[in-house]
Each structure stands twice: as structure tokens, then as C-alpha cells.
Amino acid sequence: MQYVDLGSSQQCEHANKEVSLRAPKSHHYGNSASLDYHAQATAAFINDGRQYISESYSKMGLSPGALTDTYATKCMKPRLDKLQMASLPSSKRRRLVLKQERSTNQGANEALEGDMYKSGIVHQDSPDTEQIPDTIPKGIFKPVILPGKPTIITFDLETTGLIEGRVLPQVTQIAAVELQSGRHTSHQKFQ
């Protein structure tokens, strides 16, 4: 079995926690009509914040309460600030960068894990799972900062095959082209 990151389950866990706070297991609400109220109160809290309490009081003809409104407004401010910050273009760019880094790290980790953690390893006839392979230290990658205006370079690698388990293929040829000037170079390595 292999763990595959499909995304965050934080929202589901948060909703489950909020429901359990309003309908704890020590009290059996399952056979009563009040369970629906507890679940709806949780949904209102997640969607609207603590304002749902004052709105519920108003609909029932009760005073919403000055302290309740003050506390709800105080709790809502950080939530609105967080939503506003998340909608900024810089925050969206940061999320995309982090997503790309997670994807790259996941691919690198899968390549380093070897046969032991491949998907569907249990369905193979003779998987090599007798010994856990030694770890391969991760490389330390730092950004390269060049003086002057940056240019875009495309490159192509020719190899003897694909990464299979822990076996890396040999690079046989590297070709690169600078897009702006059209200059190109190529290096071949013959075995």
C-alpha cells in the first residue's frame, strides 16, 4: 500500500470536530430530532461564523444580545482578514508554488523509495520486498541567481531509458536552445 496525497482533509476534520462539540458521543442524539438541529448549527457556524446565533434569536423574536453580537463580530474579523488575504494574487501564486513543490517532492520520494512502496506491489508475482533499501539522501537545491536580464532556455535530454525503481538511466545527449537569440548547443556522450 502507498500513501498518495489527494489533498487536504482539514475541512472535513474541522466539520467533524465541530459536530462532535455540539453533539458529543457521551450524549445520544442519534434517535432524537435535536441531532438535526446540532448538525444545522454546525453548518451555520462553519459557513457564517458565530453570527448565526444572533440571527436565530432574531427569527424567534428574542433579543440577539449585545454581548453575543460583540463577541460574534470580534470572532468574525480574523476570519474575514484571512479570506481577504487568501484572495490576493500573491497568495494564489504562493499556493501554486507550494503545490508544484509538493508534486515535485512526491515524485522524487516515489523514485527514491524503490519497489517496496510502489503502487500495486502486492499484485506482482515476485516483488523484491525482502529487504528495505538504504535511503538515498535528498539533494539540496538552491535557486541560481544570474546577473543581468534572465532568458529562457529549453533543453532536451536523451537517456537510455526511464527511472525504474531505484535504477537511474544514463544521460546520452543534452541539447539546449536559448529562445531569445536562438543560440543552441549540444553535447553527446557515447558509451
Side-chain angles (χ1 to χ4, degrees):
M1 181 190 309
Q2 181 181 12
Y3 173 75
V4 178
D5 187 12
L6 298 176
S8 175
S9 62
Q10 185 177 6
Q11 289 178 334
C12 291
E13 296 298 328
H14 173 66
N16 288 337
K17 180 183 176 196
E18 292 299 329
V19 169
S20 68
L21 289 174
R22 287 171 178 76
K25 290 182 180 180
S26 60
H27 299 83
H28 182 62
Y29 291 107
N31 289 335
S32 69
S34 66
L35 179 64
D36 288 340
Y37 170 75
H38 291 285
Q40 289 170 359
T42 301
F45 170 71
I46 291 172
N47 294 329
D48 300 330
R50 298 189 192 285
Q51 299 288 348
Y52 83 95
I53 298 171
S54 299
E55 291 171 10
S56 299
Y57 286 167
S58 296
K59 286 182 182 179
M60 291 185 289
L62 301 171
S63 170
L67 294 177
T68 304
D69 277 341
T70 305
Y71 182 67
T73 304
K74 179 182 172 185
C75 291
M76 194 62 156
K77 184 176 178 356
R79 185 177 187 171
L80 293 175
D81 291 344
K82 188 176 178 182
L83 283 173
Q84 185 179 12
M85 182 69 87
S87 66
L88 293 175
S90 59
S91 297
K92 292 180 180 181
R93 275 193 298 274
R94 179 70 180 146
R95 285 195 300 271
L96 288 174
V97 167
L98 291 174
K99 182 178 180 181
Q100 185 178 12
E101 286 177 5
R102 281 192 305 272
S103 176
T104 303
N105 287 338
Q106 182 179 355
N109 288 336
E110 286 176 0
L112 295 176
E113 287 172 347
D115 290 343
M116 291 285 290
Y117 301 101
K118 270 188 179 176
S119 296
I121 189 72
V122 296
H123 302 296
Q124 292 181 1
D125 291 336
S126 59
D128 181 21
T129 57
E130 296 297 321
Q131 180 180 355
I132 297 176
D134 294 334
T135 59
I136 298 174
K138 289 185 181 180
I140 300 173
F141 301 104
K142 296 180 181 176
V144 177
I145 301 172
L146 300 173
K149 185 178 176 185
T151 61
I152 297 175
I153 298 175
T154 61
F155 65 93
D156 180 35
L157 294 177
E158 298 297 330
T159 63
T160 57
L162 300 174
I163 297 174
E164 294 183 14
R166 296 169 62 89
V167 180
L168 297 174
Q170 296 293 318
V171 176
T172 58
Q173 181 180 9
I174 299 174
V177 176
E178 182 188 20
L179 294 181
Q180 190 172 8
S181 67
R183 290 185 304 191
H184 65 280
T185 184
S186 178
H187 176 72
Q188 290 186 337
K189 175 184 171 185
F190 297 102
Q191 296 180 0

PDB file of all heavy atoms in Angstrom, residues 1-2 5 23 28 37-38 48 76 119 123 142 144-145 165 175 179 183 187 189:
ATOM      1  N   MET A   1       0.840  -1.171   0.000  1.00  0.00           N
ATOM      2  CA  MET A   1       0.000   0.000   0.000  1.00  0.00           C
ATOM      3  C   MET A   1       0.885   1.234   0.000  1.00  0.00           C
ATOM      4  O   MET A   1       1.934   1.246   0.606  1.00  0.00           O
ATOM      5  CB  MET A   1      -0.891   0.001   1.246  1.00  0.00           C
ATOM      6  CG  MET A   1      -1.806   1.186   1.271  1.00  0.00           C
ATOM      7  SD  MET A   1      -2.684   1.452   2.815  1.00  0.00           S
ATOM      8  CE  MET A   1      -3.388  -0.097   3.161  1.00  0.00           C
ATOM      9  N   GLN A   2       0.447   2.267  -0.689  1.00  0.00           N
ATOM     10  CA  GLN A   2       1.219   3.502  -0.778  1.00  0.00           C
ATOM     11  C   GLN A   2       0.308   4.678  -0.475  1.00  0.00           C
ATOM     12  O   GLN A   2      -0.823   4.733  -0.945  1.00  0.00           O
ATOM     13  CB  GLN A   2       1.808   3.634  -2.174  1.00  0.00           C
ATOM     14  CG  GLN A   2       2.636   4.882  -2.350  1.00  0.00           C
ATOM     15  CD  GLN A   2       3.190   4.994  -3.754  1.00  0.00           C
ATOM     16  OE1 GLN A   2       2.778   4.264  -4.629  1.00  0.00           O
ATOM     17  NE2 GLN A   2       4.111   5.900  -3.958  1.00  0.00           N
ATOM     18  N   ASP A   5      -1.060  11.530  -1.749  1.00  0.00           N
ATOM     19  CA  ASP A   5      -1.628  12.789  -1.273  1.00  0.00           C
ATOM     20  C   ASP A   5      -2.668  13.278  -2.267  1.00  0.00           C
ATOM     21  O   ASP A   5      -2.339  13.693  -3.362  1.00  0.00           O
ATOM     22  CB  ASP A   5      -0.517  13.821  -1.120  1.00  0.00           C
ATOM     23  CG  ASP A   5      -1.015  15.102  -0.474  1.00  0.00           C
ATOM     24  OD1 ASP A   5      -2.138  15.089   0.055  1.00  0.00           O
ATOM     25  OD2 ASP A   5      -0.286  16.098  -0.503  1.00  0.00           O
ATOM     26  N   ALA A  23     -22.681  17.847  19.418  1.00  0.00           N
ATOM     27  CA  ALA A  23     -23.406  16.598  19.687  1.00  0.00           C
ATOM     28  C   ALA A  23     -22.396  15.547  20.140  1.00  0.00           C
ATOM     29  O   ALA A  23     -22.041  14.646  19.382  1.00  0.00           O
ATOM     30  CB  ALA A  23     -24.147  16.131  18.437  1.00  0.00           C
ATOM     31  N   HIS A  28     -26.542  10.765  23.610  1.00  0.00           N
ATOM     32  CA  HIS A  28     -27.066  10.069  22.432  1.00  0.00           C
ATOM     33  C   HIS A  28     -28.147  10.940  21.772  1.00  0.00           C
ATOM     34  O   HIS A  28     -29.274  11.011  22.222  1.00  0.00           O
ATOM     35  CB  HIS A  28     -27.651   8.718  22.831  1.00  0.00           C
ATOM     36  CG  HIS A  28     -28.170   7.939  21.661  1.00  0.00           C
ATOM     37  ND1 HIS A  28     -27.352   7.526  20.644  1.00  0.00           N
ATOM     38  CD2 HIS A  28     -29.414   7.511  21.349  1.00  0.00           C
ATOM     39  CE1 HIS A  28     -28.074   6.872  19.756  1.00  0.00           C
ATOM     40  NE2 HIS A  28     -29.325   6.855  20.163  1.00  0.00           N
ATOM     41  N   TYR A  37     -30.815  19.618  14.551  1.00  0.00           N
ATOM     42  CA  TYR A  37     -30.511  20.979  14.988  1.00  0.00           C
ATOM     43  C   TYR A  37     -29.012  21.142  15.221  1.00  0.00           C
ATOM     44  O   TYR A  37     -28.415  22.133  14.802  1.00  0.00           O
ATOM     45  CB  TYR A  37     -31.280  21.334  16.267  1.00  0.00           C
ATOM     46  CG  TYR A  37     -30.808  22.626  16.868  1.00  0.00           C
ATOM     47  CD1 TYR A  37     -31.147  23.847  16.300  1.00  0.00           C
ATOM     48  CD2 TYR A  37     -29.959  22.621  17.970  1.00  0.00           C
ATOM     49  CE1 TYR A  37     -30.671  25.040  16.827  1.00  0.00           C
ATOM     50  CE2 TYR A  37     -29.477  23.803  18.508  1.00  0.00           C
ATOM     51  CZ  TYR A  37     -29.837  25.008  17.934  1.00  0.00           C
ATOM     52  OH  TYR A  37     -29.356  26.171  18.444  1.00  0.00           O
ATOM     53  N   HIS A  38     -28.399  20.160  15.881  1.00  0.00           N
ATOM     54  CA  HIS A  38     -26.968  20.247  16.165  1.00  0.00           C
ATOM     55  C   HIS A  38     -26.147  20.266  14.873  1.00  0.00           C
ATOM     56  O   HIS A  38     -25.187  21.036  14.741  1.00  0.00           O
ATOM     57  CB  HIS A  38     -26.527  19.079  17.047  1.00  0.00           C
ATOM     58  CG  HIS A  38     -27.060  19.151  18.442  1.00  0.00           C
ATOM     59  ND1 HIS A  38     -26.558  20.021  19.375  1.00  0.00           N
ATOM     60  CD2 HIS A  38     -28.057  18.473  19.047  1.00  0.00           C
ATOM     61  CE1 HIS A  38     -27.218  19.876  20.513  1.00  0.00           C
ATOM     62  NE2 HIS A  38     -28.139  18.936  20.336  1.00  0.00           N
ATOM     63  N   ASP A  48     -21.196  30.744   8.308  1.00  0.00           N
ATOM     64  CA  ASP A  48     -21.456  32.142   8.652  1.00  0.00           C
ATOM     65  C   ASP A  48     -20.732  32.632   9.894  1.00  0.00           C
ATOM     66  O   ASP A  48     -20.846  33.805  10.243  1.00  0.00           O
ATOM     67  CB  ASP A  48     -22.967  32.350   8.872  1.00  0.00           C
ATOM     68  CG  ASP A  48     -23.782  32.008   7.647  1.00  0.00           C
ATOM     69  OD1 ASP A  48     -23.247  32.159   6.534  1.00  0.00           O
ATOM     70  OD2 ASP A  48     -24.942  31.583   7.791  1.00  0.00           O
ATOM     71  N   MET A  76     -15.394  37.275  13.998  1.00  0.00           N
ATOM     72  CA  MET A  76     -15.507  37.296  12.545  1.00  0.00           C
ATOM     73  C   MET A  76     -14.372  38.080  11.891  1.00  0.00           C
ATOM     74  O   MET A  76     -14.000  37.782  10.759  1.00  0.00           O
ATOM     75  CB  MET A  76     -16.861  37.913  12.159  1.00  0.00           C
ATOM     76  CG  MET A  76     -17.235  37.683  10.741  1.00  0.00           C
ATOM     77  SD  MET A  76     -17.397  35.935  10.430  1.00  0.00           S
ATOM     78  CE  MET A  76     -18.483  35.952   9.058  1.00  0.00           C
ATOM     79  N   SER A 119       3.016   1.437  -6.168  1.00  0.00           N
ATOM     80  CA  SER A 119       1.588   1.121  -6.210  1.00  0.00           C
ATOM     81  C   SER A 119       1.403  -0.268  -6.804  1.00  0.00           C
ATOM     82  O   SER A 119       2.044  -0.634  -7.787  1.00  0.00           O
ATOM     83  CB  SER A 119       0.843   2.139  -7.074  1.00  0.00           C
ATOM     84  OG  SER A 119       0.934   3.413  -6.505  1.00  0.00           O
ATOM     85  N   HIS A 123       0.363  -7.098  -5.964  1.00  0.00           N
ATOM     86  CA  HIS A 123      -0.215  -7.872  -7.062  1.00  0.00           C
ATOM     87  C   HIS A 123       0.841  -8.461  -7.980  1.00  0.00           C
ATOM     88  O   HIS A 123       0.511  -9.191  -8.907  1.00  0.00           O
ATOM     89  CB  HIS A 123      -1.176  -6.994  -7.873  1.00  0.00           C
ATOM     90  CG  HIS A 123      -2.288  -6.432  -7.040  1.00  0.00           C
ATOM     91  ND1 HIS A 123      -3.237  -7.218  -6.422  1.00  0.00           N
ATOM     92  CD2 HIS A 123      -2.591  -5.158  -6.704  1.00  0.00           C
ATOM     93  CE1 HIS A 123      -4.075  -6.458  -5.751  1.00  0.00           C
ATOM     94  NE2 HIS A 123      -3.701  -5.202  -5.896  1.00  0.00           N
ATOM     95  N   LYS A 142      19.269  24.876  -4.588  1.00  0.00           N
ATOM     96  CA  LYS A 142      19.176  26.306  -4.303  1.00  0.00           C
ATOM     97  C   LYS A 142      18.931  27.025  -5.620  1.00  0.00           C
ATOM     98  O   LYS A 142      19.418  26.594  -6.672  1.00  0.00           O
ATOM     99  CB  LYS A 142      20.462  26.812  -3.666  1.00  0.00           C
ATOM    100  CG  LYS A 142      20.742  26.187  -2.310  1.00  0.00           C
ATOM    101  CD  LYS A 142      22.023  26.722  -1.734  1.00  0.00           C
ATOM    102  CE  LYS A 142      22.298  26.072  -0.384  1.00  0.00           C
ATOM    103  NZ  LYS A 142      23.569  26.464   0.180  1.00  0.00           N
ATOM    104  N   VAL A 144      19.393  29.497  -8.678  1.00  0.00           N
ATOM    105  CA  VAL A 144      20.557  30.091  -9.328  1.00  0.00           C
ATOM    106  C   VAL A 144      20.206  31.527  -9.688  1.00  0.00           C
ATOM    107  O   VAL A 144      19.222  31.777 -10.377  1.00  0.00           O
ATOM    108  CB  VAL A 144      20.943  29.303 -10.600  1.00  0.00           C
ATOM    109  CG1 VAL A 144      22.107  29.976 -11.309  1.00  0.00           C
ATOM    110  CG2 VAL A 144      21.271  27.877 -10.246  1.00  0.00           C
ATOM    111  N   ILE A 145      20.985  32.466  -9.215  1.00  0.00           N
ATOM    112  CA  ILE A 145      20.736  33.879  -9.493  1.00  0.00           C
ATOM    113  C   ILE A 145      21.838  34.366 -10.431  1.00  0.00           C
ATOM    114  O   ILE A 145      23.014  34.355 -10.077  1.00  0.00           O
ATOM    115  CB  ILE A 145      20.706  34.705  -8.194  1.00  0.00           C
ATOM    116  CG1 ILE A 145      19.608  34.171  -7.274  1.00  0.00           C
ATOM    117  CG2 ILE A 145      20.509  36.172  -8.502  1.00  0.00           C
ATOM    118  CD1 ILE A 145      19.602  34.767  -5.898  1.00  0.00           C
ATOM    119  N   GLY A 165      12.211   1.975 -10.476  1.00  0.00           N
ATOM    120  CA  GLY A 165      12.574   1.696  -9.093  1.00  0.00           C
ATOM    121  C   GLY A 165      13.678   2.630  -8.654  1.00  0.00           C
ATOM    122  O   GLY A 165      13.544   3.837  -8.659  1.00  0.00           O
ATOM    123  N   ALA A 175      20.845  18.714 -25.182  1.00  0.00           N
ATOM    124  CA  ALA A 175      20.758  19.802 -26.155  1.00  0.00           C
ATOM    125  C   ALA A 175      20.026  20.960 -25.494  1.00  0.00           C
ATOM    126  O   ALA A 175      19.057  20.762 -24.764  1.00  0.00           O
ATOM    127  CB  ALA A 175      20.026  19.349 -27.406  1.00  0.00           C
ATOM    128  N   LEU A 179      15.994  30.786 -26.182  1.00  0.00           N
ATOM    129  CA  LEU A 179      14.876  31.170 -27.043  1.00  0.00           C
ATOM    130  C   LEU A 179      15.031  32.560 -27.656  1.00  0.00           C
ATOM    131  O   LEU A 179      14.651  32.778 -28.805  1.00  0.00           O
ATOM    132  CB  LEU A 179      13.562  31.074 -26.281  1.00  0.00           C
ATOM    133  CG  LEU A 179      13.140  29.658 -25.871  1.00  0.00           C
ATOM    134  CD1 LEU A 179      11.812  29.701 -25.157  1.00  0.00           C
ATOM    135  CD2 LEU A 179      13.058  28.752 -27.080  1.00  0.00           C
ATOM    136  N   ARG A 183      20.526  30.787 -30.032  1.00  0.00           N
ATOM    137  CA  ARG A 183      21.778  30.045 -29.917  1.00  0.00           C
ATOM    138  C   ARG A 183      21.505  28.671 -29.331  1.00  0.00           C
ATOM    139  O   ARG A 183      20.671  28.513 -28.439  1.00  0.00           O
ATOM    140  CB  ARG A 183      22.756  30.792 -29.014  1.00  0.00           C
ATOM    141  CG  ARG A 183      23.297  32.057 -29.629  1.00  0.00           C
ATOM    142  CD  ARG A 183      24.335  32.679 -28.762  1.00  0.00           C
ATOM    143  NE  ARG A 183      23.752  32.914 -27.433  1.00  0.00           N
ATOM    144  CZ  ARG A 183      24.316  33.626 -26.493  1.00  0.00           C
ATOM    145  NH1 ARG A 183      25.478  34.158 -26.703  1.00  0.00           N
ATOM    146  NH2 ARG A 183      23.744  33.798 -25.330  1.00  0.00           N
ATOM    147  N   HIS A 187      25.649  18.334 -26.600  1.00  0.00           N
ATOM    148  CA  HIS A 187      26.766  17.538 -26.116  1.00  0.00           C
ATOM    149  C   HIS A 187      26.328  16.091 -26.118  1.00  0.00           C
ATOM    150  O   HIS A 187      25.279  15.748 -25.574  1.00  0.00           O
ATOM    151  CB  HIS A 187      27.170  17.962 -24.696  1.00  0.00           C
ATOM    152  CG  HIS A 187      28.250  17.102 -24.121  1.00  0.00           C
ATOM    153  ND1 HIS A 187      29.549  17.173 -24.559  1.00  0.00           N
ATOM    154  CD2 HIS A 187      28.223  16.175 -23.153  1.00  0.00           C
ATOM    155  CE1 HIS A 187      30.272  16.309 -23.868  1.00  0.00           C
ATOM    156  NE2 HIS A 187      29.491  15.695 -23.017  1.00  0.00           N
ATOM    157  N   LYS A 189      27.281  12.010 -25.370  1.00  0.00           N
ATOM    158  CA  LYS A 189      28.140  11.137 -24.574  1.00  0.00           C
ATOM    159  C   LYS A 189      27.903   9.721 -25.091  1.00  0.00           C
ATOM    160  O   LYS A 189      26.798   9.193 -24.981  1.00  0.00           O
ATOM    161  CB  LYS A 189      27.773  11.244 -23.097  1.00  0.00           C
ATOM    162  CG  LYS A 189      28.518  10.296 -22.205  1.00  0.00           C
ATOM    163  CD  LYS A 189      27.999  10.435 -20.794  1.00  0.00           C
ATOM    164  CE  LYS A 189      28.571   9.341 -19.915  1.00  0.00           C
ATOM    165  NZ  LYS A 189      28.011   9.375 -18.575  1.00  0.00           N
TER     166      LYS A 189
END
